Amino acid sequence: MNILVIGSGGREHAFVWKMKQSLLTGELYCAPGNPGIASLAKCVPIPISDTYGLLRFAQEKKIDLTIVGPEQPLANGIVDLFEEHGLKAFGPTKKAAELEWSKAFAKDFMVRHGIPTAHHQTFSLTERDKAVAALETSIYPLVLKADGLAAGKGVVICNDLQVALAALHDMMDERAFGAASETVVFEEFMAGEEASIFAVCDGTHYVILAPAQDHKRVYDNDEGKNTGGMGAYAPAPIVTPELLAIVKRTIIEPTLRGMATEGRPYKGCLYVGLMLTADGPKVVEFNSRFGDPETQVVLPLYQGDIVQLMLAACEGTISSMDSPASGISIGSAVCVVLASAGYPDKYLKDKEIHGLQDLPEGVIAFHAGTLNVDGRIVTAGGRVLGVTAISASTDIEKIIRVAYDGVARISFEGMQYRRDIGRKALLSYTQSVV
């Protein structure tokens, strides 16, 4: 099969890396790709915003399957366009992807279908005075979320009224996230531990991949601003088989039924961001695609053929796949994100990266924000690399050490990273033993 991957980050690098292992993969392209991807696939300089350019390329190269990585093309309706022209594309339609591109829609959808989540209120720009009044009577801490897409950064946890008023000002008045924050969701703060679940869906049936935990805050001990993700590990031991059964019954299956009932059948990857509260698992957010950097730890552990699985999702044939091979994940993986100085705010660029050829066995550096400038690999984004250790072993402590050994081999000016990725897994294992 001729395959096109759309995107340029660590998630797409992981896609390409995994797809190279499939016997179904023929010619493999990535638009626009990055220097890491270029060693595995043919990169084509088409931006993800050029929907029709991507369509023309897919038609010209007779692409059999297109994998859409980022959220923006999905929100723009790229899957709808490809399907209208008889092309298979992995990902939800624009209407189905509204689960991610509108937090207000997602919250209302969950209320309609009895899916557990935090209580919320929604305010548009014309309701700013009502929003302020609601803040003055709210219980804190309170979470403010920009309704639209904000690259994982449109969430502010407010511990008191003054912080909440400042966050509302930034979102609505200063347009910190552009049109995405013209509507703001106020959400009850949920206490507990977070986890990420990936369900590859065909509209009715689904396959669950290894549960993971992301680390959103920029600094150790979950301090500092929210980012697109500073690291991840899988499997997350806190997601026990019993807990996963509850998530399937109370969240994933009602979501698929509800979306089908509302004329938005969900195909693609349904990312469920969970909060494991004292009252059971609740949805923090839905994403309409694979998360980054969780993809870098989830896909390597999947023992099935990822191309076959994605094709079955497009064709509605997951139920006919060979089981249990379609859903087995083995081993463990840890990803540490190396970021540029200043991230998640204004950050440095064009810093040469050293040590990429000196990684220990079992470690891959998935490129997230890099460029090849005259043969030199330089930084080009806030998140630069996802240094990922992969093993068939379940000794998470050992895998963490291997990942940080890989980190120690790499350097660039201003490099920053968290030093506690995976620590929660060690605490979970310890508590389960006790």
Side-chain angles (χ1 to χ4, degrees):
M1 298 174 61
N2 294 333
I3 298 174
L4 170 64
V5 174
I6 295 174
S8 61
R11 167 184 48 222
E12 290 75 35
H13 191 174
F15 283 165
V16 169
W17 175 83
K18 188 68 173 179
M19 288 171 180
K20 288 292 286 186
Q21 301 167 30
S22 170
L23 295 177
L24 296 176
T25 300
E27 291 292 333
L28 187 54
Y29 302 90
C30 189
N34 64 41
I37 293 172
S39 65
L40 301 169
K42 297 178 181 178
C43 292
V44 290
I46 305 175
I48 64 172
S49 58
D50 187 359
T51 306
Y52 284 93
L54 291 165
L55 173 65
R56 288 191 295 270
F57 178 84
Q59 292 172 323
E60 175 190 334
K61 295 298 183 180
K62 296 181 170 52
I63 298 297
D64 299 295
L65 179 64
T66 297
I67 313 299
V68 186
E71 60 272 27
Q72 193 62 60
L74 295 170
N76 293 343
I78 191 169
V79 170
D80 308 66
L81 180 66
F82 273 51
E83 289 182 347
E84 287 168 9
H85 288 80
L87 297 175
K88 292 184 177 69
F90 177 83
T93 61
K94 180 175 182 175
K95 285 180 67 176
E98 194 169 1
L99 276 178
E100 176 170 10
W101 60 259
S102 173
K103 291 182 176 63
F105 167 80
K107 297 294 290 189
D108 291 343
F109 172 85
M110 285 185 271
V111 171
R112 287 196 298 274
H113 295 279
I115 296 166
T117 189
H119 298 298
H120 78 286
Q121 294 176 281
T122 301
F123 299 93
S124 65
L125 197 57
T126 59
E127 299 172 307
R128 192 187 186 288
D129 290 343
K130 290 182 179 179
V132 171
L135 290 180
E136 291 173 344
T137 58
S138 291
I139 297 173
Y140 291 87
L142 184 73
V143 182
L144 267 60
K145 294 183 176 181
D147 173 56
L149 299 176
K153 303 169 189 173
V155 177
V156 180
I157 299 173
C158 307
N159 290 318
D160 55 46
L161 174 60
Q162 295 308 312
V163 174
L165 289 171
L168 184 67
H169 173 74
D170 287 344
M171 290 185 183
M172 283 192 169
D173 303 333
E174 298 296 330
R175 303 293 178 89
F177 306 105
S181 54
E182 289 182 357
T183 296
V184 178
V185 176
F186 295 2
E187 190 175 279
E188 165 198 20
F189 177 80
M190 294 188 290
E193 195 164 347
E194 291 191 57
S196 304
I197 303 293
F198 294 85
V200 178
C201 311
D202 69 0
T204 304
H205 299 95
Y206 60 94
V207 168
I208 299 287
L209 304 183
Q213 277 197 327
D214 186 15
H215 298 65
K216 285 291 186 187
R217 299 299 188 99
V218 67
Y219 301 130
D220 289 1
N221 303 314
D222 293 328
E223 296 179 355
K225 292 185 176 181
N226 270 332
T227 73
M230 292 297 292
Y233 66 90
I238 196 168
V239 182
T240 63
E242 294 77 16
L243 180 63
L244 189 56
I246 295 172
V247 171
K248 291 178 180 180
R249 185 180 71 252
T250 64
I251 297 174
I252 295 173
E253 291 165 10
T255 297
L256 293 181
R257 287 196 300 269
M259 293 295 281
T261 299
E262 297 190 9
R264 307 166 182 254
Y266 196 96
K267 295 184 177 182
C269 179
L270 178 67
Y271 167 104
V272 184
L274 292 175
M275 184 67 74
L276 308 181
T277 75
D279 298 322
K282 296 183 179 182
V283 177
V284 176
E285 64 175 353
F286 287 122
N287 287 346
S288 59
R289 36 75 196 185
F290 278 88
D292 187 340
E294 297 103 318
T295 302
Q296 290 89 301
V297 295
V298 168
L299 281 193
L301 305 186
Y302 178 62
Q303 299 301 296
D305 186 319
I306 195 63
V307 175
Q308 181 189 28
L309 178 59
M310 290 179 167
L311 183 63
C314 294
E315 297 178 340
T317 58
I318 282 180
S319 63
S320 64
M321 290 182 67
D322 181 37
S323 182
S326 62
I328 289 181
S329 295
I330 294 176
S332 52
V334 174
C335 174
V336 181
V337 169
L338 307 185
S340 297
Y343 179 76
D345 297 316
K346 186 177 181 180
Y347 51 81
L348 299 177
K349 294 183 181 180
D350 304 316
K351 305 302 178 183
E352 186 170 1
I353 303 169
H354 304 279
L356 289 172
Q357 306 305 318
D358 190 34
L359 297 178
E361 184 178 354
V363 175
I364 301 170
F366 290 115
H367 290 230
T370 65
L371 282 177
N372 187 327
V373 178
D374 299 326
R376 298 180 305 116
I377 306 300
V378 302
T379 64
R383 292 185 296 171
V384 177
L385 298 164
V387 180
T388 305
I390 305 160
S391 174
S393 169
T394 57
D395 185 347
I396 193 71
E397 186 171 10
K398 178 181 178 182
I399 309 307
I400 292 171
R401 288 198 303 268
V402 173
Y404 278 101
D405 184 16
V407 168
R409 312 284 183 96
I410 297 173
S411 63
F412 56 85
E413 184 182 339
M415 185 174 89
Q416 63 165 324
Y417 60 93
R418 283 183 56 159
R419 290 162 173 79
D420 63 347
I421 304 299
R423 185 181 297 168
K424 291 178 182 178
L426 298 179
L427 292 174
S428 294
Y429 279 125
T430 301
Q431 290 167 359
S432 66
V433 170
V434 173

